Amino acid sequence: MRDVVIAGIGQIPVGEHWDLSLRTMAARAMLAAIKDGGGMKPQAMYIGNFLSPVLSHQENLGALLTDNAGLTGIEAFTVEAAGASGGAALRVGVNAVASGFIDCALVLGVEKITDMVGSEVEAAVAQSSDYDYEAMTGLSSAGQAALLMQRYLYEYNPPREAFGEFALIAHANGANNPNAFFRKAISREAYASAGMVSDPVNMFDMGPYADGAAAVLLTARDTAPKDLPHPLVRVSGSSVVIDTLALHDRPNPLAFDAACQSVERACSQAGIMPGDVDLFEVCDAFSIYALLSLEAAGLARHGEGWKMAVNGELSINGKLPILTMGGCKARGNPLGAVGVYQAVEAVQQLRGQAGRNQVKDARRALIQSLGGPASTAAAHILERLD
Amino acid sequence: MRDVVIAGIGQIPVGEHWDLSLRTMAARAMLAAIKDGGGMKPQAMYIGNFLSPVLSHQENLGALLTDNAGLTGIEAFTVEAAGASGGAALRVGVNAVASGFIDCALVLGVEKITDMVGSEVEAAVAQSSDYDYEAMTGLSSAGQAALLMQRYLYEYNPPREAFGEFALIAHANGANNPNAFFRKAISREAYASAGMVSDPVNMFDMGPYADGAAAVLLTARDTAPKDLPHPLVRVSGSSVVIDTLALHDRPNPLAFDAACQSVERACSQAGIMPGDVDLFEVCDAFSIYALLSLEAAGLARHGEGWKMAVNGELSINGKLPILTMGGCKARGNPLGAVGVYQAVEAVQQLRGQAGRNQVKDARRALIQSLGGPASTAAAHILERLD
């Protein structure tokens, strides 16, 4: 198995891109990643996308997006795992390069959401849950998160306002990320008075669905050109793990088994413990997801993850910074593209390109994206090489 | 890179499965493949599916289908490339095992179509073409095939009835396949009097969209148990290649460049020429596609592929049998599952399990699935090992 490295990164700002088509958004991120990687020509592109079949009536994105960006004739197709699509696409890219079949691959995450009205988007996002037993009854993604958050409050009785710390961290970091949807810090008062989405999930407990495209350029460490413009980042752990799709099928819905296993497998490959990373790009589609993911990763005991946020451990200068460029809450949640945004942002950190959000001496990052309520979890360990 | 072999195969009959859900169809094929492979437990499953997001309102199939079949906790996600989804999923499985990350993987192709009425299905299938420029104007998949067939008739002036030979071959072979949708040979008279779908494509120039699920169990040759129940089949070549998505972007729409390149790359990996295979499971979603694929593979000159059919070269006892279990025309066209059905059928041939359709001394097969009008092409070379 060959060592796989990230040689280039590209992204467009996350937001409401009513003036950009899906193909144009994708091309900008793809070409940015190729340029950033010194112009290496990819032989393959793997696309993380969740909602194009439903919201854009467009499948077969491999042909559309590569051809549109001038890469006709390469290998390309879509990888779908709901909100973990980007992470799963990265996994496919890592396997393709590790196997020796492909020397240079683009991994693209792209999602075009905001052309549609909210109710259409909510119905589409609900396709990440069990349609016959959950979505069909009207249970939305926010509704699922609310059930989990309610259960957490019942089981562990944390202070309600503790959840707000995740939004505060995200917004504090998003304020300094030029590619973030929301670039403004928020106050505890703002969180406390936020409107309810699905009780107890309020507006700040949920990342806004937004358009976005991000890409990373993968290559093999042993065949990478010596004169690449940026330090290489090695993908030293890679995993995708699934849990039951439906929440009601889980013995303990607060356990997030797939999130747990995906971190264990990625860390085991990298030969590290989860606590050995310098930052953790966790999935905060909902604040309760970020909290449960920290506990699932073994970084806090069950029922105590919120204390890490309250104690300041998760801020940029804390023990284990999370959501360092704003996360789903402030950078925005471009669903199937999230896993690739996380990779791009982690590489920025590992290269020392994160500006005012720079995590000091960051050399190793864990990134994790979730599809559905952690029904699918994709985790990767990224390490700076030099 | 490790050698990858197919150790198990499973399928359900292709047809109108109004009594089976997507998850049940999938489970039957998955468990059949595991059983056929001596009970090896897969660590991963890659799912070829095209229309579930649109027709079943269900994404995140990795979690749904593995959990439902009792495989919770493994790696799983969907791979989408329209009609080439199954072939692309096989490609992902091959990379995962070749890289050494995964020792045993299921590749599943599943499609549930016939619960919906024809117009909904046609609109969904059109998502495999360029929505903004083709589908939006009302151009359907059959319409695209008709444009290509019309052009072929104009450029090369073959006898119109020559196209019927592809349907005759498919139906002759489907008649002996217990898993085929249509198990009845057809006559030249039936073809000549068939109703028109999209002039000049008639009812017999087009495979019927149908429900289906098929699976193959992959493992590494060097770690495969020695006591497996069936001879191993090696995947000695694997490729996915894309062309422009839209027909109007191609210098020569009759060239099927992706189909050509995908065969070249798979054959080059296997160290063979396309003519060295004993059978070719070609994509006959439309008869013109089968014809153009033969020409693209270099098996006939441009404008002359139909002669192979007319001369009997493509029948079971001919020089290069195609559609040996009925192809899309008679086995049925379960779109995103086609590539996996082809793999299953090719393994049946290579093991000598093809019954009355057995290709004599078959040791090497080429399979190729297409997404859109060969916008994406997936090709694999399968070889019997012992």
Side-chain angles (χ1 to χ4, degrees), chain A residues 1-2 21 23 43 46 49-54 56-64 66-67 71-83 88-89 91-92 94-96 98-102 124 126-133 135 237-246 249 261 265 269 371-373 375-376, chain B residues 1-2 21 23 43 46 49-54 56-64 66-67 71-83 88-89 91-92 94-96 98-102 124 126-133 135 237-246 249 261 265 269 371-373 375-376:
Chain A
M1 195 186 308
R2 305 195 295 180
S21 65
R23 68 189 82 188
Q43 301 151 304
Y46 308 109
N49 174 270
F50 172 20
L51 293 179
S52 175
V54 182
S56 301
H57 306 296
Q58 183 69 66
E59 303 202 51
N60 217 353
L61 291 180
L64 178 68
T66 50
D67 174 48
L71 298 174
T72 316
I74 71 171
E75 165 171 345
F77 44 81
T78 302
V79 176
E80 189 275 314
R91 171 87 178 121
V92 170
V94 168
N95 274 342
S99 72
F101 272 113
I102 299 288
Q127 298 197 177
S128 67
S129 67
D130 191 323
Y131 184 76
D132 293 348
Y133 293 89
S238 170
S239 72
V240 173
V241 180
I242 65 99
D243 197 346
T244 72
L245 184 59
D249 284 328
Q261 288 294 320
R265 292 184 203 174
Q269 277 169 34
S375 307
T376 309
Chain B
M1 194 186 308
R2 304 196 295 180
S21 64
R23 68 188 81 187
Q43 302 153 304
Y46 308 109
N49 173 271
F50 171 21
L51 293 179
S52 175
V54 181
S56 302
H57 306 296
Q58 184 67 67
E59 303 202 50
N60 217 353
L61 292 179
L64 177 69
T66 51
D67 174 48
L71 298 173
T72 316
I74 70 170
E75 165 171 345
F77 44 81
T78 302
V79 176
E80 189 275 313
R91 171 88 177 120
V92 169
V94 168
N95 274 342
S99 73
F101 272 113
I102 299 289
Q127 298 197 177
S128 66
S129 66
D130 191 323
Y131 184 76
D132 294 348
Y133 292 88
S238 170
S239 72
V240 173
V241 180
I242 65 99
D243 196 346
T244 70
L245 184 59
D249 285 329
Q261 289 292 320
R265 292 184 203 174
Q269 276 169 36
S375 306
T376 309

Side-chain angles (χ1 to χ4, degrees), chain A residues 213-225:
Chain A
V216 295
L217 191 71
L218 302 180
T219 190
R221 185 179 180 179
D222 54 2
T223 62

Side-chain angles (χ1 to χ4, degrees), chain B residues 260-277:
Chain B
C260 168
Q261 289 292 320
S262 68
V263 170
E264 276 191 20
R265 292 184 203 174
C267 285
S268 153
Q269 276 169 36
I272 61 165
M273 298 293 288
D276 295 338
V277 301

Side-chain angles (χ1 to χ4, degrees), chain A residues 75-119:
Chain A
E75 165 171 345
F77 44 81
T78 302
V79 176
E80 189 275 314
S85 299
L90 181 55
R91 171 87 178 121
V92 170
V94 168
N95 274 342
V97 176
S99 72
F101 272 113
I102 299 288
D103 285 328
C104 181
L106 266 178
V107 176
L108 171 74
V110 64
E111 205 73 76
K112 182 105 181 91
I113 301 172
T114 68
D115 291 350
M116 297 306 203
V117 298
S119 56

Side-chain angles (χ1 to χ4, degrees), chain A residues 57-314:
Chain A
H57 306 296
Q58 183 69 66
E59 303 202 51
N60 217 353
L61 291 180
L64 178 68
L65 303 182
T66 50
D67 174 48
N68 182 61
L71 298 174
T72 316
I74 71 171
E75 165 171 345
F77 44 81
T78 302
V79 176
E80 189 275 314
S85 299
L90 181 55
R91 171 87 178 121
V92 170
V94 168
N95 274 342
V97 176
S99 72
F101 272 113
I102 299 288
D103 285 328
C104 181
L106 266 178
V107 176
L108 171 74
V110 64
E111 205 73 76
K112 182 105 181 91
I113 301 172
T114 68
D115 291 350
M116 297 306 203
V117 298
S119 56
E120 287 173 304
V121 174
E122 268 308 322
V125 174
Q127 298 197 177
S128 67
S129 67
D130 191 323
Y131 184 76
D132 293 348
Y133 293 89
E134 295 181 318
M136 191 71 135
T137 67
L139 182 61
S140 66
S141 231
Q144 283 184 318
L147 289 170
L148 288 170
M149 189 165 160
Q150 193 69 265
R151 185 77 196 170
Y152 193 95
L153 288 162
Y154 172 81
E155 290 281 353
Y156 302 118
N157 199 29
R160 171 65 188 83
E161 62 273 19
F163 287 87
E165 298 301 313
F166 291 94
L168 265 71
I169 293 166
H171 275 273
N173 296 343
N176 301 318
N177 176 6
N179 291 301
F181 193 11
F182 296 127
R183 301 177 208 165
K184 197 177 157 197
I186 61 164
S187 66
R188 290 195 170 81
E189 293 66 37
Y191 179 82
S193 61
M196 203 54 75
V197 175
S198 181
D199 194 5
V201 169
N202 75 25
M203 252 180 56
F204 287 118
D205 286 313
M206 181 175 175
Y209 301 135
D211 309 327
V216 295
L217 191 71
L218 302 180
T219 190
R221 185 179 180 179
D222 54 2
T223 62
K226 299 299 165 210
D227 57 345
L228 289 172
H230 301 289
L232 295 176
V233 170
R234 180 175 172 228
V235 184
S236 55
S238 170
S239 72
V240 173
V241 180
I242 65 99
D243 197 346
T244 72
L245 184 59
L247 276 181
H248 58 247
D249 284 328
R250 302 184 191 171
N252 176 6
L254 298 179
F256 270 26
D257 277 341
C260 169
Q261 288 294 320
S262 68
V263 170
E264 276 191 20
R265 292 184 203 174
C267 285
S268 153
Q269 277 169 34
I272 61 165
M273 297 293 288
D276 295 339
V277 301
D278 300 313
L279 60 125
F280 183 6
E281 290 302 335
V282 70
C283 175
D284 65 330
F286 300 94
S287 52
I288 180 69
Y289 285 12
L291 170 50
L292 293 177
S293 299
L294 289 170
E295 296 180 1
L299 296 163
R301 279 189 226 179
H302 287 294
E304 299 189 359
W306 56 273
K307 293 181 185 169
M308 297 179 76
V310 171
N311 297 340
E313 293 176 41
L314 306 175

